[in-house]
Amino acid sequence: MIETKDFTDVNYAVKSGVAVITINRPDRYNALRGRTVDELLAAFKYAWVDKSVGAVILTGAGEKAFCTGGDQKERAATGGYGETETGMFEIEALHKIIRAIPKPVIAAVNGFAIGGGHVLHVLCDLSIAVSTAKFGQVGPRVGSFDAGFGTAYLARVVGEKRAREIWFLCEQYDAQTAERWGLVNKVVEPANLMDSAIDWAKKVAALSPTALKTLKHSFNADSDHIIGIQSIAFDVLDLYIKTDEAKEGGAAFTEKRPPDYSKFKED
């Protein structure tokens, strides 16, 4: 496994029983490449086995973005998301470990939580957002989708109508709207984000670890069947991203123009 000293895309720190995992690619709006996902998986595993850790905070570096999903510039340039330890882009494994780690995970949303980054915060147990944060999905616009936890679980969080609105319109929503919809638990001013997240994490870390683990697994049990849907969805996505239709979305994003999907519509 990657050692923390070898991390380039992620920062990992532990203090007072709280592990803070920071996606550290602010120049790319904390978008995910293969190495980023590998390092996030390693960081969550470190937090999992560290008995001094009672809660985890996931956040992004800088003031602009929490995470904006897969690195579309990398995808457009290379056809993928870069090299990885195993040769696999293990975003599915990242989703699973956020749910499986037997410690509550708090998303500290410091800016844009868009696309795959939006899915990450939804999967966290709790979300605190800055007042300037923006939320939304872009998959159908850039030639991608998350037809597993990103849809089915999102619908459990905000309801079917809101979840379909988020995916079918690909608009962005402010933090106040996200709080009203139940998409985030709390909205704070930017200067107070990490203090608020750490305050919650310390409260969590002071509680019974066995009780928290059992509660988390109990909450997850009702939606664990989505894992099967997720696996099918990623199988389809692996095939879809090789098509001209998907490539049009990535190219349009890179070229900063609206995508033209007209020729892919059925007669």
Side-chain angles (χ1 to χ4, degrees):
M1 187 171 68
I2 300 173
E3 298 288 341
T4 54
K5 61 181 172 59
D6 296 326
F7 282 175
T8 60
D9 292 14
V10 167
N11 291 333
Y12 180 79
V14 176
K15 185 177 180 180
S16 302
V18 178
V20 179
I21 300 173
T22 306
I23 304 171
N24 189 29
R25 302 189 77 215
D27 58 316
R28 290 291 183 98
Y29 283 76
N30 294 319
L32 305 173
R33 60 176 178 168
R35 183 176 180 88
T36 320
V37 174
D38 283 351
E39 291 182 8
L40 285 169
L41 285 168
F44 272 103
K45 290 174 184 177
Y46 284 128
W48 188 320
V49 301
D50 188 341
K51 293 182 179 180
S52 74
V53 171
V56 180
I57 294 172
L58 177 64
T59 192
E63 299 177 352
K64 293 181 178 180
F66 169 73
C67 178
T68 53
D71 190 332
Q72 296 303 316
K73 289 184 178 179
E74 178 87 23
R75 177 184 160 201
T78 67
Y81 293 108
E83 294 183 358
T84 68
E85 262 199 297
T86 63
M88 299 169 61
F89 183 57
E90 298 196 73
I91 192 67
E92 187 177 357
L94 178 58
H95 292 177
K96 289 178 180 177
I97 201 169
I98 291 173
R99 285 173 59 88
I101 185 172
K103 302 168 184 183
V105 181
I106 300 170
V109 183
N110 55 305
F112 288 105
I114 302 294
H118 186 259
V119 176
L120 292 186
H121 107 83
V122 169
L123 284 170
C124 291
D125 299 292
L126 301 170
S127 293
I128 300 178
V130 295
S131 56
T132 53
K134 298 289 184 182
F135 301 84
Q137 293 296 158
V138 294
R141 182 181 295 143
V142 300
S144 184
F145 55 79
D146 185 331
F149 284 116
T151 49
Y153 185 65
L154 177 65
R156 289 173 178 258
V157 174
V158 299
E160 285 277 353
K161 291 289 188 178
R162 293 298 189 193
R164 290 169 192 251
E165 175 185 339
I166 289 168
W167 274 100
F168 293 167
L169 298 185
C170 292
E171 294 181 344
Q172 293 183 8
Y173 304 90
D174 61 28
Q176 294 71 29
T177 299
E179 184 179 29
R180 190 173 74 250
W181 287 1
L183 192 57
V184 302
N185 300 90
K186 183 178 182 180
V187 175
V188 299
E189 291 307 307
N192 300 328
L193 177 63
M194 288 309 297
D195 285 344
S196 297
I198 290 171
D199 179 58
W200 274 19
K202 285 182 176 179
K203 288 180 180 179
V204 167
L207 302 176
S208 162
T210 301
L212 291 173
K213 175 173 66 174
T214 306
L215 286 167
K216 180 164 181 174
H217 290 166
S218 179
F219 281 124
N220 286 349
D222 188 49
S223 55
D224 271 347
H225 67 280
I226 297 174
I227 292 173
I229 301 171
Q230 180 92 336
S231 295
I232 294 172
F234 275 104
D235 288 344
V236 175
L237 183 60
D238 284 342
L239 298 174
Y240 171 65
I241 60 175
K242 298 181 177 72
T243 66
D244 289 339
E245 181 178 348
K247 290 175 182 176
E248 164 61 16
F253 177 86
T254 303
E255 295 165 12
K256 298 182 179 180
R257 60 172 174 79
D260 180 7
Y261 291 118
S262 59
K263 63 183 178 182
F264 303 108
K265 294 180 180 179
E266 295 181 6
D267 296 331

